[in-house]
Amino acid sequence: MPALVLLGAQWGDEGKGKATDLLGGSVDYVVRYQGGNNAGHTVVVGDQKYALHLLPSGILSPSCIPVIGNGVVVDPSVLLSELSGLNERGVDTSKLLISGNAHIITPYNVTVDKVTERFLGKRKIGTTGRGIGPTYADKINRVGIRVQDLYDESILTQKVEAALDVKNQMLTKLYNRRAIAVDQVVAELLEYADKLRPYVADTVLVLNQALEEDKVVLFEGGQGTLLDIDHGTYPFVTSSNPTAGGACTGAGVGPTKISRVIGILKAYTTRVGAGPFPTELFDADGDALRRIGGERGVTTGRDRRCGWFDAVIARYATRVNGLTDFFLTKLDVLTGWEEIPVCVAYEIDGRRVEELPYSQSDFHHAKPIYETLPGWSEDITKAKSFSDLPKNAQDYVKALEEMSGAPISAIGVGPGRDETIEINSFL
Ligand code: IMP
């Protein structure tokens, strides 16, 4: 019953797509359990580069069944265009399974996301504007639309009416926007129904049966630990649970079934959107990390904020996710620095703090305390084993491992599928 969770240990964009895809060939199912098309995975296969937003990265492995679990929010228009884009490039997408319980991102959820952000002004979250938060809000408020609702027009109409009741008051009276017509939304959603039908399944049953049959199931987190609605830097977070527990609720699999939880950890730190980020750099080093690391959002095209590695965050990720291993990515980006600072603790109001403070106000005041490690200048992209790395790169990895509280089982040394050093097998 090998069930692995693979998730971001920082603020997302750690290079999860590469890690998931690396395992793809030996994995039977790749499951997304939360988030929606706010995610962005870049997967490089041979000379082909694929940018995926909603689909699990397992879609690129012919032997793998990709699954969109109940915890995901699905924008049907995005899903269908992502599928047809892949089909045009010769990728077979027919095995995809979508939970009938997954919630639909409706056009009005996208509108609400955009207008509320605009209304928040300088207090905005910096969302991706894809309707993620408002769709999860509807789910929690019990006025959401689920994939299965597309197959009962009368129920769908009643639900859209209920959802728009308050929203139209808000849009017209508060935000000075036009009301959204129920009929128009229902007609648009019904257009997707037939196209999605072949994929809709009881994914909870499928996945639990697969685990009974000893199939390898990989749960792929979107975003990252610090963007988790419960454990992240609230309110500057996404509206779902990328942390390991989210895999259980978002796919309908019990915690006793999970055998391994792998945290993807970038060799430095990035974040997009607003919110605290203690090691953020505003100087030439930050610009260099952004340029060399190609730190631009796959989904939004926004420049990512960049900073040095933060071991406090990595330790926190180990704890809240029960991480068994790390996959360290983008080590090659650090090649060329004479010295590399690593944040080992924070200074908060004159005190040294070793662990992530639970108080938001404290975290906003946290100043990084750095230890400086010697850098390396040799090209490491061809390294196949740990011993191929220059000594200073080896020491950097070992130091990160010691500070972060879980073994580093793989290291990314370049964007390609084969530019990875495997230390311990994940399977
Ligand atoms: P939302 O998920 O669109 O609601 O955005 C909430 C916050 O999460 C914003 O700061 C986004 O920039 C951030 N976010 C959402 N998805 C990702 C991702 O895949 N990578 C990094 N940040 C993300």
Side-chain angles (χ1 to χ4, degrees), residues 125-367:
I125 308 292
T127 73
T128 58
R130 304 295 195 262
I132 307 295
T135 305
Y136 279 113
D138 278 3
K139 173 177 176 176
I140 300 299
N141 282 330
R142 292 162 294 189
V143 290
I145 310 295
R146 295 189 292 175
V147 169
Q148 58 178 286
D149 297 328
L150 301 182
Y151 304 102
D152 186 331
E153 187 173 343
S154 146
I155 288 283
L156 178 67
T157 309
Q158 287 174 41
K159 289 192 173 181
V160 172
E161 262 166 15
L164 280 176
D165 213 17
V166 176
K167 279 184 198 72
N168 272 336
Q169 300 283 338
M170 193 179 81
L171 285 172
T172 53
K173 297 192 177 140
L174 189 62
Y175 295 122
N176 212 12
R177 304 274 298 217
R178 255 178 295 160
I180 296 171
V182 172
D183 299 358
Q184 218 173 312
V185 174
V186 170
E188 179 177 336
L189 293 179
L190 286 175
E191 263 179 47
Y192 302 127
D194 283 345
K195 293 181 190 144
L196 292 181
R197 197 187 290 270
Y199 306 112
V200 181
D202 182 349
T203 54
V204 173
L205 184 64
V206 171
L207 291 172
N208 279 282
Q209 281 174 343
L211 287 168
E212 291 288 312
E213 289 163 18
D214 256 353
K215 299 272 194 264
V216 181
V217 180
L218 179 67
F219 298 91
E220 172 184 67
Q223 294 81 48
T225 299
L226 273 296
L227 286 173
D228 186 280
I229 185 86
D230 285 278
H231 302 291
T233 47
Y234 189 90
F236 302 102
V237 292
T238 193
S239 299
S240 64
N241 289 114
T243 49
C248 297
T249 49
V253 165
T256 50
K257 299 272 164 71
I258 308 285
S259 43
R260 207 147 171 192
V261 184
I262 302 156
I264 314 301
L265 193 61
K266 210 183 295 201
Y268 50 97
T269 315
T270 62
R271 107 168 267 178
V272 267
F277 178 1
T279 63
E280 182 168 14
L281 292 166
F282 299 95
D283 57 8
D285 282 331
D287 290 342
L289 286 174
R290 191 172 304 111
R291 182 172 34 81
I292 302 167
E295 297 297 350
R296 180 173 280 253
V298 178
T299 296
T300 58
R302 290 184 287 182
D303 272 353
R304 295 179 186 141
R305 300 158 64 191
C306 295
W308 299 122
F309 184 83
D310 185 337
V312 182
I313 281 172
R315 274 199 293 282
Y316 178 74
T318 303
R319 190 179 321 130
V320 295
N321 293 302
L323 295 182
T324 54
D325 311 66
F326 281 113
F327 188 137
L328 186 72
T329 58
K330 294 189 133 178
L331 185 64
D332 54 302
V333 173
L334 295 178
T335 300
W337 264 275
E338 225 163 90
E339 293 187 315
I340 309 171
V342 170
C343 169
V344 292
Y346 301 139
E347 188 201 307
I348 302 173
D349 299 330
R351 285 171 302 124
R352 183 183 168 103
V353 175
E354 304 279 339
E355 302 300 342
L356 198 91
Y358 75 88
S359 148
Q360 178 190 352
S361 310
D362 281 352
F363 193 54
H364 276 267
H365 295 143
K367 293 196 187 76

Side-chain angles (χ1 to χ4, degrees), residues 41 43 45 48-61 66 78-94 96 199:
H41 291 327
V43 184
V45 183
Q48 296 284 309
K49 197 169 175 180
Y50 298 89
L52 303 173
H53 300 288
L54 182 55
L55 290 165
S57 31
I59 198 113
L60 299 171
S61 294
V78 172
L79 177 65
L80 292 168
S81 74
E82 208 161 288
L83 286 170
S84 62
L86 288 175
N87 295 153
E88 278 162 25
R89 293 173 73 178
V91 178
D92 174 19
T93 57
S94 63
L96 175 69
Y199 306 112

